[in-house]
Amino acid sequence: EMLGRVLCTVLFLGALQSLAEASQGHISVVLLGATGDLAKKYLWQGLFQLYIDQVSNGHSFTFHGAALAAVEPGQRLMFDVLKKLSCPPDEAPNRCAVLKDQFLKLSQYHQLRTAEDYAALNREIETLLRQEGLQEAGRIFYFSVPPFAYTDIARHINSSCRPAPGAWLRVVLEKPFGHDLGSAQQLAAELKGFFREEEMYRVDHYLGKQAVAHILPFRDQNRQFLDPIWNRHHVERVEIVLKETVDAKGRTSFYEQYGVVRDVLQNHLTEALLFLIMELPANLSRTEDVLQHKLQSFQSLWGLEKSSAVLGQYQAYTSQVQEELEQPQGYVSTTPTFAGVLIRSDSLRWEGVPFLLTSGKALDERVGYARVLFKNRAYCTQSEALRDAGHSQCKAKQIIFYFGHGALNTPAVLVSRNLFRPVMPKDSWKEAVARPDLHIFGQPLSDFYVYSPVKERDAYSVLISNIYHGRKDFFITTENLLASWGFWTPLLDSISQQPPRLYPGGVENQHLLDFEMVSGGLAFTLAEPAELLNPSRQMPSDYRAVESKFRQSPLVSAWSEELISQLASDMEETAVRSVARSGQFHLALSGGSSPVVLFQQLARHHYAFPWRHTHIWLVDERCVPLTDSESNFFSLHRHLLQSVRVPYFNIHPMPVHLNRRLCVEEDGGTELYARDITALVANASFDLVLLGVGTDGHTASLFPRSENGLEGAPTVVLTESPVKPHQRMSLSLPLINRARQVFVLVLGKGKHDITTLLSRVGHEPRKWPISGVRPSSGQLVWYVDYEALLG
């Protein structure tokens, strides 16, 4: 009844107004987890701000706090929070008191545990609408609860608490959205069963931070200045940083499961990066275009590997885990609390530009920023004292989106005066007052045009306003989420057992966490001090590659990262020897998934490889167009060829697509490839052939009981695969065995059974084609990682 009376009349600036008459529709906001920490700190304040902003704009509201607690204690806890709500500083005290009183009266608590509880809430909303003669505009359900509860709540809302047809539903989800790609896919699939994509708003509160939210508008409004310089020719590097002085004490349960990469880099810093590097759509107000361009920028990023990151952990972390999680004294955590990650793009705009993402706890200051540092080609002869220092072309040129805290202690956009005076919206950003005492990155503030928000707003207030307005471009879509996890999960898997560098914390870290770019990856600048090393932390990376025998041939075995590094080095050495001997190097490469990490290693770390003198051949190919993602050549091109300088006429894809047909025998593709090999490769003897092994023992595209390619004269054959695409083209076993060297790469636990079997069987190529690889006058070397070898 009280809610009904309040809805009928609201005092607004001293005037009595009938919302029932003026209303454009009623909105019910349901905050699940209404008595939790996030709700107390941010969400109720954000909802109150929404009410202040929108109370005179036509919609009427009710606010429903919900949790598992019974009505009486839950209501008491919730109203203790509501009584402490505050108005913005520029709000008149009288108006603030009226608005706060109305907001409290429009808010009530519900216990939501069962399907019947949700049905009862739905009946209550419908009754209120009917009694007051209000049209329902929509409902917002804000999930401020752990992700494990999402599915049950989603089921209840979908079955019992959806709004009437014609009204919208907006469901707001808080991170974490999964732990890796697999868990994110599972959670996404479960939610898809209850909600449409347009109904879900996944919150990354960094997208509500004013400096982050302004990156795209800034780029759009300053296109005239940025278009010529926002690219690899002018940008030296991009840094995105979030530093914290606090540690993980009290949150070790969460941190042990997630760590700094999942907590900060995979979401907050990645989202800021995408805003900086994505192509700008013609119209920023078209949400679908913004989201599509954002998604496309993921596809240009190089895959991450172990060497892409440096990891640290503050010294007290393990003892905090032992205490809070009741772990034994001998327990040692490998969870990183600090990470620096190098990201690269192969887009035409950003190729070669390093993007450095850094975050950590127990550091020297609390600050966050995205910094675009431009190349400086100027050399200034005259002394800086004799020129206008602020506009000097010899000073660093940079644009900084300052998230907050730190020396400025406010969100800000800074542009070096020797770049351009930016266009900024005067209604929301103002030029900051000069502060001669402040320096940013070693430069006085006077070297920059500095802008700060006219009205500083909390990130959650911004995001709640965007939810109300249906602005999806400030939230994480399912596609965006899965693309992000797809990008980060390989790195997370590769570092899961890597011991992080220990650091004391705070200002005592000194230079211990400084890192630099080395050989396409990152490494700490300083060697780790002996006193910080823990002798009990013997990890896989402490073992060196070991050499022995496998099937009477040399075996190189190590953990996968070291093994790939060794194989790439051996390939480079073989290539250099071959070029010195004959002036060229003929390399035949297999397809499949295993060589991908090798191709990336060669592309990023082996700049001395004699690519100019290398001929690239295919060991096998699927009978699909070469532009098809299933094509071995497509994979080879994507992960290697487009990144190295192999002469175009030295690249020899298999001719599987002739006369607009795929692998038709009469087209003579196999004979054509065989003639090319005979014409260009001396004695048809490749300098090096790289092979893999399937779980059934196949190699190249030679399968068990194959009719072609295991023996006889033809050097290139068509074969049949038991899996799609069935048709293949392959080098024959006799041709492979004419090679000077054959390397066989075997990776992963999934290959353990076939590796064990092959260690016992003899020469039986019809059963296990790989057993028929026995170079007649060359050398065979096996590269098998520990997981394949030992299980």
Side-chain angles (χ1 to χ4, degrees):
E1 289 176 9
M2 176 65 78
L3 283 170
R5 287 200 297 275
V6 172
L7 279 167
C8 285
T9 56
V10 170
L11 278 169
F12 181 65
L13 294 177
L16 194 65
Q17 180 184 21
S18 171
L19 276 181
E21 291 172 13
S23 178
Q24 300 167 2
H26 184 74
I27 295 172
S28 305
V29 182
V30 183
L31 175 54
L32 298 139
T35 56
D37 281 346
L38 186 64
K40 289 177 188 174
K41 288 180 182 174
Y42 301 110
L43 300 183
W44 279 117
Q45 186 64 52
L47 292 173
F48 181 43
Q49 184 65 54
L50 175 70
Y51 182 67
I52 293 171
D53 294 341
Q54 301 301 328
V55 68
S56 62
N57 289 347
H59 280 125
S60 59
F61 292 88
T62 46
F63 299 90
H64 305 267
L68 297 176
V71 172
E72 191 177 324
Q75 191 164 287
R76 188 170 60 251
L77 283 169
M78 188 181 97
F79 277 93
D80 284 346
V81 177
L82 298 190
K83 287 169 191 171
K84 295 173 185 172
L85 294 175
S86 59
C87 289
D90 57 350
E91 198 67 69
N94 289 348
R95 182 175 188 265
C96 177
V98 169
L99 290 170
K100 187 172 174 181
D101 183 55
Q102 299 296 342
F103 183 78
L104 263 65
K105 288 172 180 173
L106 290 170
S107 304
Q108 62 180 160
Y109 177 84
H110 305 261
Q111 182 184 37
L112 291 184
R113 298 178 71 95
T114 65
E116 176 50 39
D117 291 336
Y118 284 84
L121 172 61
N122 186 58
R123 287 193 298 272
E124 190 173 313
I125 293 171
E126 289 177 345
T127 300
L128 180 66
L129 293 168
R130 194 167 52 252
Q131 287 175 348
E132 303 304 326
L134 294 169
Q135 185 72 32
E136 185 163 30
R139 296 182 191 179
I140 297 172
F141 284 86
Y142 200 118
F143 286 39
S144 180
V145 295
F148 65 75
Y150 283 3
T151 305
D152 280 345
I153 294 172
R155 183 182 294 109
H156 294 323
I157 292 172
N158 186 54
S159 63
S160 312
C161 214
R162 275 186 170 274
W168 47 255
L169 172 67
R170 292 177 189 154
V171 175
V172 188
L173 307 165
E174 277 284 346
K175 80 175 184 78
F177 316 117
H179 185 263
D180 53 18
L181 179 58
S183 57
Q185 286 172 325
Q186 182 182 347
L187 182 58
E190 289 170 356
L191 291 172
K192 189 179 178 183
F194 305 113
F195 304 129
R196 298 191 302 276
E197 179 62 31
E198 63 268 22
E199 294 176 331
M200 289 185 281
Y201 289 69
R202 291 182 184 84
V203 169
D204 182 330
H205 75 272
Y206 258 66
L207 298 186
K209 287 187 175 290
Q210 287 166 290
V212 178
H214 195 62
I215 293 175
L216 287 184
F218 177 89
R219 290 180 58 194
D220 185 50
Q221 292 154 16
N222 290 279
R223 285 182 196 246
Q224 58 179 323
F225 307 118
L226 292 176
D227 277 354
I229 63 172
W230 202 255
N231 56 55
R232 61 193 171 99
H233 302 297
H234 295 272
V235 174
E236 180 182 313
R237 69 172 184 261
V238 175
E239 303 168 0
I240 306 177
V241 174
L242 176 59
K243 294 164 67 176
E244 297 182 89
T245 54
V246 297
D247 60 21
K249 192 168 186 179
R251 292 185 71 222
T252 56
S253 176
F254 169 84
Y255 230 74
E256 268 298 88
Q257 190 178 358
Y258 288 92
V260 69
V261 177
R262 290 181 175 90
D263 185 35
V264 177
L265 279 79
Q266 178 270 330
N267 37 71
H268 304 330
L269 302 195
T270 300
E271 291 300 314
L273 173 67
L274 295 178
F275 280 169
L276 291 169
I277 69 170
M278 64 182 270
E279 293 299 316
L280 277 183
N283 186 350
L284 268 191
S285 63
R286 285 181 55 84
T287 296
E288 310 78 28
D289 291 355
V290 173
L291 293 172
Q292 197 55 42
H293 281 67
K294 194 172 162 190
L295 195 61
Q296 285 168 359
S297 61
F298 265 122
Q299 295 160 4
S300 73
L301 301 180
W302 286 18
L304 295 174
E305 50 195 39
K306 193 173 179 180
S307 62
S308 304
V310 288
L311 306 172
Q313 182 193 94
Y314 65 85
Q315 277 179 286
Y317 179 76
T318 286
S319 61
Q320 288 172 353
V321 171
Q322 290 171 354
E323 179 185 341
E324 291 180 20
L325 304 185
E326 298 180 355
Q327 295 286 358
Q329 280 300 307
Y331 175 79
V332 175
S333 171
T334 58
T335 301
T337 61
F338 168 87
V341 176
L342 172 64
I343 295 176
R344 292 189 182 273
S345 167
D346 60 16
S347 72
L348 288 174
R349 182 184 295 276
W350 297 114
E351 185 182 13
V353 178
F355 308 120
L356 296 164
L357 274 56
T358 308
S359 185
K361 291 192 172 294
L363 301 182
D364 59 321
E365 61 176 334
R366 183 186 185 191
V367 70
Y369 57 85
R371 179 190 186 206
V372 181
L373 186 65
F374 293 86
K375 297 174 182 176
N376 199 338
R377 299 179 176 89
Y379 176 78
C380 299
T381 308
Q382 290 285 81
S383 163
E384 288 294 314
L386 302 176
R387 61 176 72 242
D388 176 1
H391 291 83
S392 167
Q393 288 303 306
C394 279
K395 291 212 169 186
K397 299 178 180 183
Q398 50 196 322
I399 297 173
I400 303 161
F401 299 94
Y402 202 88
F403 306 158
H405 306 294
L408 292 181
N409 200 33
T410 179
V413 176
L414 300 91
V415 178
S416 292
R417 289 180 181 270
N418 54 8
L419 279 172
F420 57 87
R421 177 185 279 276
V423 176
M424 297 291 284
K426 291 184 170 56
D427 59 331
S428 53
W429 291 81
K430 63 185 179 187
E431 197 156 1
V433 179
R435 294 175 60 184
D437 56 314
L438 275 184
H439 284 67
I440 298 290
F441 301 112
Q443 288 183 257
L445 216 54
S446 58
D447 283 0
F448 299 91
Y449 297 111
V450 184
Y451 298 85
S452 59
V454 170
K455 185 186 289 187
E456 197 168 330
R457 296 194 60 176
D458 170 70
Y460 278 98
S461 296
V462 173
L463 289 175
I464 287 169
S465 174
N466 287 327
I467 294 161
Y468 167 78
H469 287 106
R471 288 287 307 273
K472 287 282 286 186
D473 47 333
F474 281 87
F475 298 88
I476 313 301
T477 64
T478 302
E479 271 191 304
N480 189 167
L481 174 70
L482 298 183
S484 182
W485 276 121
F487 175 68
W488 284 98
T489 296
L491 175 69
L492 289 164
D493 289 345
S494 71
I495 63 173
S496 60
Q497 294 300 313
Q498 184 177 332
R501 163 169 291 196
L502 297 179
Y503 60 95
V507 294
E508 293 177 40
N509 296 333
Q510 296 292 316
H511 303 296
L512 196 60
L513 296 179
D514 294 351
F515 56 85
E516 58 192 44
M517 289 174 275
V518 180
S519 302
L522 293 183
F524 284 117
T525 306
L526 297 180
E528 191 161 9
E531 65 268 18
L532 287 180
L533 291 173
N534 187 333
S536 67
R537 288 187 175 204
Q538 194 174 50
M539 303 303 294
S541 57
D542 297 327
Y543 295 99
R544 292 189 171 276
V546 297
E547 293 205 26
S548 55
K549 293 282 185 180
F550 184 79
R551 293 185 55 81
Q552 291 78 54
S553 295
L555 166 69
V556 181
S557 190
W559 296 102
S560 58
E561 291 88 351
E562 286 78 14
L563 185 72
I564 291 295
S565 178
Q566 183 67 51
L567 173 55
S569 296
D570 292 349
M571 287 177 69
E572 181 178 321
E573 189 179 325
T574 303
V576 170
R577 280 203 314 267
S578 179
V579 171
R581 182 183 67 251
S582 64
Q584 53 191 359
F585 175 54
H586 286 276
L587 171 64
L589 295 168
S590 280
S593 57
S594 291
V596 167
V597 285
L598 171 66
F599 296 160
Q600 292 171 343
Q601 179 80 11
L602 288 168
R604 299 176 193 180
H605 303 289
H606 289 266
Y607 302 112
F609 201 103
W611 294 114
R612 272 186 59 202
H613 305 284
T614 298
H615 283 258
I616 303 283
W617 301 85
L618 271 289
V619 168
D620 63 328
E621 182 58 279
R622 296 171 167 131
C623 292
V624 296
L626 299 186
T627 53
D628 192 301
S629 60
E630 291 275 350
S631 162
N632 289 341
F633 180 78
F634 180 88
S635 177
L636 174 64
H637 180 267
R638 181 182 177 191
H639 297 292
L640 178 63
L641 295 182
Q642 69 176 359
S643 303
V644 297
R645 296 185 181 275
V646 179
Y648 174 76
F649 45 81
N650 283 13
I651 300 171
H652 309 281
M654 281 185 157
V656 294
H657 200 184
L658 297 173
N659 303 320
R660 299 184 183 179
R661 304 191 294 186
L662 291 166
C663 294
V664 174
E665 199 164 339
E666 303 90 81
D667 292 335
T670 55
E671 292 87 346
L672 187 63
Y673 208 55
R675 282 200 300 273
D676 283 351
I677 293 169
T678 302
L680 296 171
V681 183
N683 303 318
S685 174
F686 291 107
D687 296 303
L688 175 61
V689 174
L690 176 73
L691 298 175
V693 180
T695 53
D696 59 355
H698 83 264
T699 191
S701 280
L702 305 172
F703 296 90
R705 292 169 293 282
S706 178
E707 297 297 319
N708 301 320
L710 297 180
E711 53 194 16
T715 53
V716 184
V717 295
L718 292 176
T719 67
E720 287 284 325
S721 163
V723 296
K724 289 183 178 180
H726 295 302
Q727 275 194 299
R728 308 288 176 95
M729 188 179 287
S730 179
L731 302 186
S732 70
L733 207 50
L735 180 60
I736 290 169
N737 283 333
R738 291 172 71 169
R740 289 174 175 272
Q741 282 201 290
V742 178
F743 291 170
V744 181
L745 174 62
V746 190
L747 296 176
K749 284 184 180 177
K751 300 288 176 71
H752 175 59
D753 289 346
I754 188 64
T755 305
T756 304
L757 180 68
L758 291 173
S759 69
R760 299 169 184 156
V761 303
H763 179 73
E764 299 182 66
R766 293 199 68 78
K767 277 189 178 179
W768 301 286
I770 187 65
S771 72
V773 177
R774 301 170 75 176
S776 50
S777 56
Q779 184 188 37
L780 170 63
V781 182
W782 292 80
Y783 291 80
V784 188
D785 77 344
Y786 287 149
E787 289 192 323
L789 195 66
L790 307 173

